[in-house]
Amino acid sequence: MTPQDASQSNEALCRLAPVIPVLVIDDASKARALAEALVAGGLPVLEVTLRTPAALDAIREMAQVEGGIVGAGTLLTPEDVAAAKAAGAKFGVSPGATDILLDACEAADLPLLPGIATSTEAMRLLERGYTVQKFFPAEANGGVPALKSIGGPIPQVRFCPTGGVSPANAPAYLALSNTLCVGGSWVAPKDLVAAGDWAGITELARTAAALPRS
């Protein structure tokens, strides 16, 4: 898979909904119901971060949900890429980007949404062919003003900002011309997941799915 192909694929995914849920899952037995609740609310693209022992099992469960497209976040190594692909991940997300990780994703035909924090990092990825990138951690890196400023000299790149994005600031990010969607965890709060309040999560998803974009 070429970087151009990966960017085209991820742009299509990012356009499916204004919010990609960023999920840290501790109990894989709840993964399928969680995915069904989010998809029912209008958020079909799901990122499961590889931060817990249950993550790969959760991806396997979510990959079976009709209408859902599950990807693996926090990809750091080629081993992460192979494990995510084997579990059924359709795309990958990384906090940053190294040549080794990019090579592994391209070889595995796993579309990567690579993370950047600076203009230089964005330019290096653009030079390789990645026109769709993740801005992370968004709020810690200056938030909406920073992302808007990056868009001035580098208009070819579109972003999915994550990290500190909330219902309060998501509309401002989505109003930027270089933002395709945002990533956020607020649509699946741990207390609702633990309680199995799938109706509550569907309602949060429905509200997020209705956020306007530029």
Side-chain angles (χ1 to χ4, degrees), residues 116-140:
I116 68 100
T118 68
S119 295
T120 297
E121 292 170 352
M123 289 170 62
R124 285 176 176 162
L125 282 169
L126 178 61
E127 190 175 73
R128 183 158 174 152
Y130 287 91
T131 55
V132 177
Q133 304 172 14
K134 166 183 169 178
F135 181 53
F136 176 83
E139 282 295 286

Side-chain angles (χ1 to χ4, degrees), residues 135 139 141-151 173 176:
F135 181 53
E139 282 295 286
N141 278 317
V144 171
L147 189 54
K148 182 178 181 180
S149 295
I150 289 173
Y173 280 106
L176 297 177

Side-chain angles (χ1 to χ4, degrees), residues 62-206:
M62 289 185 165
Q64 302 175 52
V65 174
E66 185 176 356
I69 304 168
V70 62
T74 325
L75 296 180
L76 303 177
T77 67
E79 291 75 21
D80 290 340
V81 174
K85 186 76 182 282
K90 299 300 183 185
F91 66 95
V93 185
S94 61
T98 65
D99 287 335
I100 289 175
L101 182 64
L102 294 168
D103 289 343
C105 286
E106 290 164 15
D109 287 333
L110 187 69
L112 180 68
L113 183 64
I116 68 100
T118 68
S119 295
T120 297
E121 292 170 352
M123 289 170 62
R124 285 176 176 162
L125 282 169
L126 178 61
E127 190 175 73
R128 183 158 174 152
Y130 287 91
T131 55
V132 177
Q133 304 172 14
K134 166 183 169 178
F135 181 53
F136 176 83
E139 282 295 286
N141 278 317
V144 171
L147 189 54
K148 182 178 181 180
S149 295
I150 289 173
I154 315 175
Q156 305 95 319
V157 179
R158 300 293 182 89
F159 294 94
C160 171
T162 72
V165 180
S166 68
N169 59 27
Y173 280 106
L174 291 168
L176 297 177
S177 61
N178 62 339
T179 296
L180 289 170
C181 66
V182 300
S185 59
W186 80 86
V187 292
K190 286 192 172 184
D191 58 338
L192 295 190
V193 174
D197 186 355
W198 310 126
I201 289 173
T202 293
E203 188 55 36
L204 288 174
R206 189 171 288 118

Side-chain angles (χ1 to χ4, degrees), residues 24-51:
V24 180
I25 299 177
D26 296 303
D27 183 356
S29 70
K30 296 181 181 293
R32 186 160 187 160
L34 173 58
E36 290 171 344
L38 291 166
V39 171
L43 301 181
V45 184
L46 313 171
E47 176 191 341
V48 177
T49 61
L50 300 187
R51 300 182 189 181

